[in-house]
Amino acid sequence: MENKIIAGLGEALWDCLPEGRKIGGAPANFAYHASQFGFDAYAVSAVGTDELGDETIEALKGNGLKMVMPRVDFPTGQVKVTLDEDGVATYDIKEGSAWDNIPFTPEIEALAKQCRAVCFGSLAQRNEVSRNTIYRFLDATPKDCMRIFDINLRQNFYTKETIVESLKHATVLKINDEELVTLGRLFGYPGPDLENKCWLILGKYNLDMLILTCGVNGSYVFSKGAMSYLDTPQVEVADTVGAGDSFTGSFVASILSGRTVAEAHRIAVGVSAFVCTQKGAMPKIPEALKTPQTK
Protein backbone atom coordinates (compact mmCIF):
# COMPACT_ATOMS: atom_id res chain seq x y z
CA MET A 1 0.00 0.00 0.00
CA GLU A 2 1.23 3.48 -0.82
CA ASN A 3 2.69 5.32 2.16
CA LYS A 4 0.63 8.44 2.81
CA ILE A 5 2.07 9.48 6.19
CA ILE A 6 2.62 13.20 6.77
CA ALA A 7 3.48 14.85 10.09
CA GLY A 8 3.10 18.32 11.54
CA LEU A 9 5.75 18.55 14.26
CA GLY A 10 5.78 21.17 17.03
CA GLU A 11 3.24 23.24 18.91
CA ALA A 12 -0.31 22.05 19.62
CA LEU A 13 -2.31 24.74 21.38
CA TRP A 14 -5.53 26.65 21.76
CA ASP A 15 -6.01 29.94 19.93
CA CYS A 16 -7.97 32.12 22.35
CA LEU A 17 -9.91 34.27 19.89
CA PRO A 18 -12.39 37.06 20.74
CA GLU A 19 -15.31 34.65 20.14
CA GLY A 20 -13.77 31.80 22.18
CA ARG A 21 -11.12 29.04 22.09
CA LYS A 22 -10.28 27.14 18.91
CA ILE A 23 -7.78 24.32 18.53
CA GLY A 24 -4.70 25.32 16.55
CA GLY A 25 -0.93 25.45 16.35
CA ALA A 26 0.80 25.61 12.98
CA PRO A 27 1.90 21.93 12.79
CA ALA A 28 -1.57 20.64 13.72
CA ASN A 29 -3.12 23.05 11.21
CA PHE A 30 -0.71 21.82 8.52
CA ALA A 31 -1.51 18.19 9.29
CA TYR A 32 -5.25 18.87 9.24
CA HIS A 33 -5.14 20.46 5.78
CA ALA A 34 -2.92 17.68 4.39
CA SER A 35 -5.44 15.16 5.76
CA GLN A 36 -8.17 16.86 3.72
CA PHE A 37 -6.38 15.54 0.63
CA GLY A 38 -6.49 11.91 1.75
CA PHE A 39 -3.17 11.67 3.58
CA ASP A 40 -2.58 9.92 6.91
CA ALA A 41 -1.66 13.13 8.68
CA TYR A 42 -0.36 13.18 12.25
CA ALA A 43 -0.04 16.04 14.70
CA VAL A 44 3.11 15.43 16.75
CA SER A 45 3.39 17.48 19.92
CA ALA A 46 2.81 17.23 23.69
CA VAL A 47 -0.08 18.21 25.94
CA GLY A 48 -0.41 18.53 29.69
CA THR A 49 -2.09 16.13 32.07
CA ASP A 50 -4.68 18.88 32.59
CA GLU A 51 -8.28 19.14 31.40
CA LEU A 52 -7.17 21.29 28.45
CA GLY A 53 -4.94 18.41 27.35
CA ASP A 54 -7.98 16.12 27.25
CA GLU A 55 -9.85 18.76 25.25
CA THR A 56 -6.93 19.09 22.81
CA ILE A 57 -6.91 15.38 22.03
CA GLU A 58 -10.69 15.29 21.63
CA ALA A 59 -10.69 18.39 19.40
CA LEU A 60 -7.99 16.99 17.11
CA LYS A 61 -9.78 13.66 16.92
CA GLY A 62 -12.99 15.53 16.13
CA ASN A 63 -11.21 17.10 13.15
CA GLY A 64 -10.20 13.65 11.90
CA LEU A 65 -6.53 14.00 12.83
CA LYS A 66 -4.26 11.24 13.95
CA MET A 67 -1.70 12.19 16.56
CA VAL A 68 1.30 11.24 18.61
CA MET A 69 0.75 13.39 21.67
CA PRO A 70 2.66 12.43 24.85
CA ARG A 71 1.28 13.81 28.14
CA VAL A 72 3.84 15.84 30.13
CA ASP A 73 3.88 17.73 33.43
CA PHE A 74 3.49 21.17 31.86
CA PRO A 75 0.31 23.11 31.05
CA THR A 76 -1.32 22.57 27.66
CA GLY A 77 -0.50 25.46 25.31
CA GLN A 78 -2.64 28.56 24.92
CA VAL A 79 -2.23 31.65 22.74
CA LYS A 80 -4.15 34.91 23.07
CA VAL A 81 -5.10 36.00 19.54
CA THR A 82 -6.01 39.62 18.79
CA LEU A 83 -7.56 40.55 15.44
CA ASP A 84 -7.27 43.97 13.82
CA GLU A 85 -10.06 45.56 11.76
CA ASP A 86 -8.92 43.57 8.69
CA GLY A 87 -9.04 40.25 10.54
CA VAL A 88 -5.23 39.99 10.68
CA ALA A 89 -4.06 38.16 13.79
CA THR A 90 -1.37 38.97 16.36
CA TYR A 91 -0.37 36.45 19.03
CA ASP A 92 0.59 36.44 22.72
CA ILE A 93 2.19 33.01 23.24
CA LYS A 94 2.50 31.67 26.79
CA GLU A 95 5.88 30.16 27.71
CA GLY A 96 6.59 26.95 29.64
CA SER A 97 3.90 25.02 27.77
CA ALA A 98 3.63 21.28 27.18
CA TRP A 99 4.68 21.70 23.54
CA ASP A 100 7.95 23.29 24.71
CA ASN A 101 8.75 19.92 26.27
CA ILE A 102 8.04 17.27 23.61
CA PRO A 103 9.92 14.07 24.52
CA PHE A 104 11.51 11.94 21.79
CA THR A 105 9.61 8.72 22.39
CA PRO A 106 9.87 5.38 20.54
CA GLU A 107 6.44 6.08 19.03
CA ILE A 108 7.62 9.45 17.68
CA GLU A 109 10.78 7.85 16.27
CA ALA A 110 8.78 5.08 14.58
CA LEU A 111 6.54 7.68 12.91
CA ALA A 112 9.56 9.67 11.69
CA LYS A 113 10.94 6.61 9.92
CA GLN A 114 7.73 6.31 7.86
CA CYS A 115 7.19 9.98 6.91
CA ARG A 116 6.82 11.15 3.33
CA ALA A 117 6.70 14.76 4.52
CA VAL A 118 7.11 16.62 7.80
CA CYS A 119 6.49 20.29 8.51
CA PHE A 120 8.25 22.04 11.41
CA GLY A 121 8.84 25.64 12.47
CA SER A 122 10.98 27.87 14.65
CA LEU A 123 8.50 28.47 17.48
CA ALA A 124 8.62 24.96 18.99
CA GLN A 125 12.41 25.26 19.01
CA ARG A 126 12.44 28.05 21.62
CA ASN A 127 13.07 25.40 24.32
CA GLU A 128 15.92 22.88 24.16
CA VAL A 129 13.76 19.80 24.87
CA SER A 130 11.45 20.23 21.88
CA ARG A 131 14.28 21.55 19.70
CA ASN A 132 16.29 18.36 20.25
CA THR A 133 13.22 16.20 19.56
CA ILE A 134 12.57 18.05 16.29
CA TYR A 135 16.14 17.51 15.03
CA ARG A 136 16.14 13.84 16.09
CA PHE A 137 12.82 13.37 14.26
CA LEU A 138 14.17 15.01 11.10
CA ASP A 139 17.36 12.92 11.24
CA ALA A 140 15.24 9.74 11.49
CA THR A 141 13.15 10.45 8.36
CA PRO A 142 13.82 8.65 5.04
CA LYS A 143 16.20 10.38 2.63
CA ASP A 144 13.39 11.23 0.19
CA CYS A 145 11.14 12.74 2.88
CA MET A 146 10.01 16.33 2.18
CA ARG A 147 11.17 18.35 5.20
CA ILE A 148 9.33 21.67 5.19
CA PHE A 149 10.66 24.45 7.42
CA ASP A 150 7.69 26.79 7.86
CA ILE A 151 9.76 29.44 9.57
CA ASN A 152 6.79 31.02 11.40
CA LEU A 153 8.66 33.75 13.30
CA ARG A 154 6.71 34.75 16.41
CA GLN A 155 7.60 37.55 18.87
CA ASN A 156 11.26 37.06 19.86
CA PHE A 157 11.14 33.25 19.93
CA TYR A 158 13.88 32.57 17.39
CA THR A 159 17.62 32.89 16.91
CA LYS A 160 19.88 33.05 13.87
CA GLU A 161 21.48 29.75 14.95
CA THR A 162 18.11 27.96 15.08
CA ILE A 163 17.16 29.25 11.63
CA VAL A 164 20.48 28.15 10.10
CA GLU A 165 20.26 24.67 11.64
CA SER A 166 16.65 24.32 10.48
CA LEU A 167 17.53 25.33 6.92
CA LYS A 168 20.29 22.70 6.89
CA HIS A 169 17.70 20.06 7.85
CA ALA A 170 15.07 21.27 5.36
CA THR A 171 14.35 20.54 1.72
CA VAL A 172 11.64 23.25 1.48
CA LEU A 173 11.38 26.68 3.11
CA LYS A 174 8.00 28.37 3.60
CA ILE A 175 8.27 32.07 4.51
CA ASN A 176 6.21 35.25 4.24
CA ASP A 177 7.35 38.67 3.05
CA GLU A 178 7.71 40.15 6.55
CA GLU A 179 9.74 37.15 7.72
CA LEU A 180 11.95 37.43 4.63
CA VAL A 181 12.77 41.05 5.57
CA THR A 182 13.69 39.88 9.08
CA LEU A 183 15.85 37.11 7.62
CA GLY A 184 17.54 39.65 5.35
CA ARG A 185 18.47 41.76 8.37
CA LEU A 186 19.68 38.73 10.38
CA PHE A 187 21.84 37.37 7.56
CA GLY A 188 22.94 40.67 6.03
CA TYR A 189 21.25 40.10 2.65
CA PRO A 190 21.25 43.58 1.08
CA GLY A 191 18.56 45.44 -0.83
CA PRO A 192 14.76 45.35 -0.98
CA ASP A 193 14.43 42.77 -3.80
CA LEU A 194 12.49 39.81 -2.38
CA GLU A 195 13.06 37.58 -5.40
CA ASN A 196 16.85 37.95 -5.22
CA LYS A 197 16.81 37.02 -1.53
CA CYS A 198 14.74 33.92 -2.30
CA TRP A 199 17.08 32.72 -5.04
CA LEU A 200 20.04 33.36 -2.73
CA ILE A 201 18.55 31.28 0.12
CA LEU A 202 17.44 28.50 -2.26
CA GLY A 203 20.98 28.13 -3.58
CA LYS A 204 22.89 28.65 -0.33
CA TYR A 205 20.99 25.91 1.51
CA ASN A 206 20.46 23.65 -1.53
CA LEU A 207 16.68 23.66 -1.08
CA ASP A 208 14.35 21.93 -3.53
CA MET A 209 11.76 24.70 -3.17
CA LEU A 210 11.11 28.01 -1.44
CA ILE A 211 7.53 29.21 -0.94
CA LEU A 212 7.04 32.95 -0.39
CA THR A 213 3.63 34.32 0.56
CA CYS A 214 3.03 38.06 0.46
CA GLY A 215 -0.51 38.42 1.82
CA VAL A 216 -2.68 40.42 -0.57
CA ASN A 217 0.35 40.90 -2.84
CA GLY A 218 0.43 37.34 -4.14
CA SER A 219 2.67 34.32 -3.62
CA TYR A 220 5.68 32.69 -5.23
CA VAL A 221 7.14 29.21 -5.45
CA PHE A 222 10.84 29.10 -6.35
CA SER A 223 12.30 25.78 -7.47
CA LYS A 224 15.59 25.05 -9.16
CA GLY A 225 15.52 27.02 -12.41
CA ALA A 226 11.84 27.98 -12.23
CA MET A 227 9.46 30.37 -10.49
CA SER A 228 5.66 30.36 -10.16
CA TYR A 229 3.76 33.52 -9.19
CA LEU A 230 0.04 33.88 -8.51
CA ASP A 231 -2.12 36.79 -7.40
CA THR A 232 -4.05 36.50 -4.14
CA PRO A 233 -7.82 36.26 -4.71
CA GLN A 234 -9.89 39.07 -3.20
CA VAL A 235 -12.16 37.62 -0.51
CA GLU A 236 -14.10 38.84 2.51
CA VAL A 237 -11.76 38.00 5.39
CA ALA A 238 -13.19 36.49 8.59
CA ASP A 239 -9.73 35.95 10.07
CA THR A 240 -6.28 34.93 8.81
CA VAL A 241 -5.62 32.31 11.51
CA GLY A 242 -4.25 29.16 9.87
CA ALA A 243 -4.31 30.54 6.33
CA GLY A 244 -0.57 30.10 5.84
CA ASP A 245 -0.69 26.58 7.28
CA SER A 246 -3.52 25.67 4.91
CA PHE A 247 -1.39 26.94 2.01
CA THR A 248 1.53 24.74 3.07
CA GLY A 249 -0.56 21.65 3.85
CA SER A 250 -2.49 21.73 0.59
CA PHE A 251 0.65 22.52 -1.46
CA VAL A 252 2.64 19.62 0.02
CA ALA A 253 -0.28 17.17 -0.31
CA SER A 254 -0.73 18.22 -3.93
CA ILE A 255 2.97 17.74 -4.75
CA LEU A 256 2.98 14.30 -3.13
CA SER A 257 -0.16 13.44 -5.13
CA GLY A 258 1.79 14.00 -8.36
CA ARG A 259 0.73 17.58 -9.17
CA THR A 260 3.19 19.94 -10.83
CA VAL A 261 4.52 22.89 -8.86
CA ALA A 262 2.22 25.24 -10.82
CA GLU A 263 -0.84 23.05 -10.15
CA ALA A 264 0.00 22.65 -6.46
CA HIS A 265 0.51 26.41 -6.22
CA ARG A 266 -2.94 27.12 -7.68
CA ILE A 267 -4.58 24.67 -5.27
CA ALA A 268 -2.76 26.19 -2.29
CA VAL A 269 -3.81 29.73 -3.24
CA GLY A 270 -7.45 28.69 -3.56
CA VAL A 271 -7.49 26.80 -0.26
CA SER A 272 -5.79 29.55 1.74
CA ALA A 273 -8.16 32.18 0.31
CA PHE A 274 -11.11 30.02 1.39
CA VAL A 275 -9.68 29.57 4.91
CA CYS A 276 -9.48 33.37 5.26
CA THR A 277 -13.27 33.53 4.74
CA GLN A 278 -13.86 31.11 7.65
CA LYS A 279 -13.51 31.47 11.42
CA GLY A 280 -10.62 29.51 12.91
CA ALA A 281 -7.81 27.47 11.40
CA MET A 282 -9.50 24.16 10.54
CA PRO A 283 -12.59 24.58 8.33
CA LYS A 284 -13.62 21.73 6.03
CA ILE A 285 -12.24 22.29 2.53
CA PRO A 286 -14.77 22.05 -0.35
CA GLU A 287 -14.00 19.24 -2.81
CA ALA A 288 -13.91 21.70 -5.72
CA LEU A 289 -10.82 23.40 -4.24
CA LYS A 290 -8.77 20.19 -4.20
CA THR A 291 -8.06 20.36 -7.93
CA PRO A 292 -6.25 23.19 -9.75
CA GLN A 293 -8.55 26.17 -10.37
CA THR A 294 -8.38 27.90 -13.75
CA LYS A 295 -9.02 31.60 -14.11
Side-chain angles (χ1 to χ4, degrees), residues 25-266:
N29 295 341
F30 164 85
Y32 169 77
H33 288 289
S35 77
Q36 298 273 286
F37 288 77
F39 282 84
D40 292 327
Y42 287 77
V44 182
S45 188
V47 292
T49 54
D50 48 19
E51 193 174 318
L52 209 53
D54 297 336
E55 288 183 35
T56 303
I57 290 168
E58 286 308 309
L60 292 174
K61 279 183 183 173
N63 280 318
L65 263 181
K66 298 178 179 178
M67 70 198 81
V68 181
M69 201 75 60
R71 308 296 291 258
V72 296
D73 291 327
F74 293 87
T76 299
Q78 295 187 69
V79 174
K80 185 180 178 184
V81 183
T82 307
L83 304 175
D84 67 15
E85 59 187 14
D86 296 320
V88 176
T90 53
Y91 305 90
D92 178 18
I93 305 164
K94 297 187 185 304
E95 297 191 63
S97 296
W99 57 263
D100 288 309
N101 296 277
I102 306 167
F104 190 68
T105 64
E107 191 180 6
I108 286 177
E109 183 177 18
L111 181 68
K113 289 177 177 177
Q114 300 177 73
C115 265
R116 287 191 69 196
V118 55
C119 185
F120 68 103
S122 63
L123 180 56
Q125 297 186 56
R126 66 181 182 177
N127 187 48
E128 185 180 9
V129 175
S130 289
R131 183 165 66 249
N132 288 341
T133 292
I134 288 169
Y135 293 151
R136 289 179 73 183
F137 187 106
L138 296 170
D139 288 339
T141 58
K143 281 188 176 178
D144 60 352
C145 176
M146 278 182 80
R147 296 181 294 278
I148 305 99
F149 179 37
D150 185 349
I151 193 166
N152 208 21
L153 302 180
R154 293 283 184 254
Q155 294 170 217
N156 60 339
F157 298 129
Y158 59 89
T159 65
K160 182 177 178 180
E161 292 72 27
T162 297
I163 292 169
V164 168
E165 192 61 33
S166 296
L167 286 167
K168 288 178 180 176
H169 277 82
T171 61
V172 179
L173 171 64
K174 158 70 167 50
I175 192 166
N176 67 33
D177 49 351
E178 292 178 359
E179 291 165 339
L180 186 60
V181 170
T182 301
L183 219 62
R185 283 200 299 265
L186 270 178
F187 288 83
Y189 298 151
D193 191 310
L194 297 182
E195 290 185 31
N196 280 351
K197 287 186 176 72
C198 289
W199 286 121
L200 186 65
I201 295 166
L202 188 83
K204 183 176 174 63
Y205 294 97
N206 195 30
L207 300 169
D208 294 332
M209 282 181 275
L210 187 154
I211 301 164
L212 172 66
T213 57
C214 303
V216 297
N217 296 315
S219 58
Y220 301 78
V221 180
F222 298 85
S223 52
K224 291 171 182 177
M227 183 189 80
S228 171
Y229 169 81
L230 287 173
D231 290 325
T232 300
Q234 288 189 325
V235 295
E236 191 169 327
V237 175
D239 69 52
T240 60
V241 179
D245 306 322
S246 73
F247 189 111
T248 314
S250 52
F251 180 85
V252 169
S254 298
I255 289 289
L256 292 180
S257 298
R259 302 286 187 188
T260 66
V261 168
E263 288 170 339
H265 190 187
R266 283 202 298 277

